[in-house]
Amino acid sequence: MIRLIKPYIEFSDVEDEFRGIFESGIFTRGEYSVALPERLSAYTGAKHAFNATSATTALSACLAALNIGAGDEVVVSDFSFPATVNVVEACGARPVFADVSRSTYNTTADELERKITPRTRAVIFVCALGNPDGIEGVDAVCKKRGVPLIVDAACALGSKSNGIPVGAIGDFTCFSFHPRKLLTSGEGGAITTDDDAYADTLRVKLAHGAGASSGKMEFVTYGYNYRLPELQCVMLIKQLEALDEIVGRRIAQQESYRGLLEPRGFTAQRHGAGVLHNMQSVVFTVPDGTDRDGLVAQLRERGVETTLGTYCQSACRYYREKYGDVQPHSLWLERNTLTLPCHDGVDAEAVAEAITGILGQ
């Protein structure tokens, strides 16, 4: 089976560090859990960084830091894995779905202007599949309206907009280290922010609500334990050192796919000239009239793992039945996008031949 992605790390890369962790007996809150946020801060250019157990818990911590709850609205980019909207629903706020561009898969500044209301307490912009196209325009709208911007960059570590790394744009940025991501520790996440006040709030929230007072812990609010163990942190530190090289190789693979598939009617996810897309996922829209689900099934039979791009959150059964606000471009993308294998060792030509063989091209 040609898998969608394989981790860019092997046991030999961390064997010595793992042995040291076991010998020390320090499995959490040790040197690597301190070093990882420092490395992420340096890599992204953000002033502050924090570990989390996933992008989902990172997003929920940001909403808590903003005291968002019942009666509030949060505008959410619609084309994303439903974790993005679930955190809004879970805190009692109302999600307002923002439709997306069929070419970039991201929401736009114009769409955001249409969706913001006096009840909007935050905006969650999704870098769809790692693509940050449009993020600066959305950030400008949020600043003009005085609404905090949370960037769901679960897929976007290593991406940039006009030379600015994702992680340094917006009020909060949330990353994921799930196995489908370019950096993985099995599960895991992170938050970055440039805002000192938000950082102070997160520091307390992420420590069970505790702050130091007269040499002891004083629990001043409710909070969470979203810590990452030492073993996971050292895995991420090792991969972060090679991230730019990994991104370069993935961009080259996407270009190979484009040369093979675009003449046959497939269209790659687009981005503007000033955008560096890390190619977290290599995604195309299929030719008109193609049975995308049938294509995915037949490729699996031929040993090639593929899947849809991601989901139209507003069309998920729960949200469709509760809010009845399905976004048309997002739904079209859910039905017509195809994610292709992309990692070291993937033969793009063999994958393309399997696709064209099924379609009879």
Side-chain angles (χ1 to χ4, degrees), residues 18 64 81 93 127 133 141 168 176 194 196-197 225 229 243 246 263 265 274 318:
F18 273 25
F81 191 79
C127 298
D133 190 283
V141 171
S176 170
D194 277 336
D196 293 340
N225 172 10
L243 180 56
I246 292 169
Y318 174 85

Side-chain angles (χ1 to χ4, degrees), residues 267-346:
T267 303
Q269 183 182 13
R270 302 300 195 199
H271 59 74
V275 170
L276 174 67
H277 179 189
N278 67 357
M279 291 303 153
Q280 158 61 49
S281 296
V282 171
V283 181
F284 288 77
T285 54
V286 298
D288 291 343
T290 300
D291 176 4
R292 193 277 314 278
D293 292 344
L295 178 59
V296 169
Q298 291 183 67
L299 284 168
R300 177 170 288 276
E301 291 174 0
R302 297 188 182 206
V304 180
E305 183 183 20
T306 58
T307 188
L308 79 171
T310 192
Y311 296 87
C312 172
Q313 297 178 106
S314 61
C316 293
R317 179 178 172 181
Y318 174 85
Y319 294 106
R320 183 183 71 248
E321 292 181 352
K322 183 171 183 178
Y323 297 110
D325 188 29
V326 175
Q327 302 301 302
H329 294 325
S330 179
L331 181 60
W332 185 87
L333 287 169
E334 178 183 312
R335 292 172 173 172
N336 290 280
T337 46
L338 179 71
T339 301
L340 300 178
C342 184
H343 51 83
D344 294 346
V346 169

Side-chain angles (χ1 to χ4, degrees), residues 89-101:
E89 188 76 7
C91 75
R94 180 187 178 92
V96 176
F97 299 103
D99 208 356
V100 297
S101 159

Side-chain angles (χ1 to χ4, degrees), residues 56 78 80-88 310-313 316 319:
T56 308
D78 193 43
S80 181
F81 191 79
T84 307
V85 68
N86 286 347
V87 296
V88 177
T310 192
Y311 296 87
C312 172
Q313 297 178 106
C316 293
Y319 294 106

Side-chain angles (χ1 to χ4, degrees), residues 56 61-62 106 133 189 198 206 227 244 259 274 328:
T56 308
C62 294
N106 291 345
D133 190 283
Y198 288 150
L206 295 172
R227 290 191 291 266
D244 289 344

Side-chain angles (χ1 to χ4, degrees), residues 4-67:
L4 275 172
I5 191 168
K6 290 183 179 180
Y8 290 91
I9 189 169
E10 297 180 359
F11 178 67
S12 58
D13 298 326
V14 292
E15 185 174 1
D16 291 343
E17 288 80 5
F18 273 25
R19 183 177 295 108
I21 291 168
F22 275 87
E23 289 175 352
S24 73
I26 300 173
F27 287 89
T28 187
R29 303 179 71 179
E31 62 174 300
Y32 298 112
S33 59
V34 172
L36 177 60
E38 293 174 349
R39 301 289 180 87
L40 289 169
S41 180
Y43 183 84
T44 61
K47 191 173 181 181
H48 307 279
F50 301 89
N51 297 333
T53 53
S54 67
T56 308
T57 57
L59 288 166
S60 68
C62 294
L63 293 173
L66 293 170
N67 293 312

Side-chain angles (χ1 to χ4, degrees), residues 48-50 172 193-204:
H48 307 279
F50 301 89
F172 303 91
T193 182
D194 277 336
D195 189 287
D196 293 340
Y198 288 150
D200 289 343
T201 300
L202 285 171
R203 197 169 287 112
V204 173

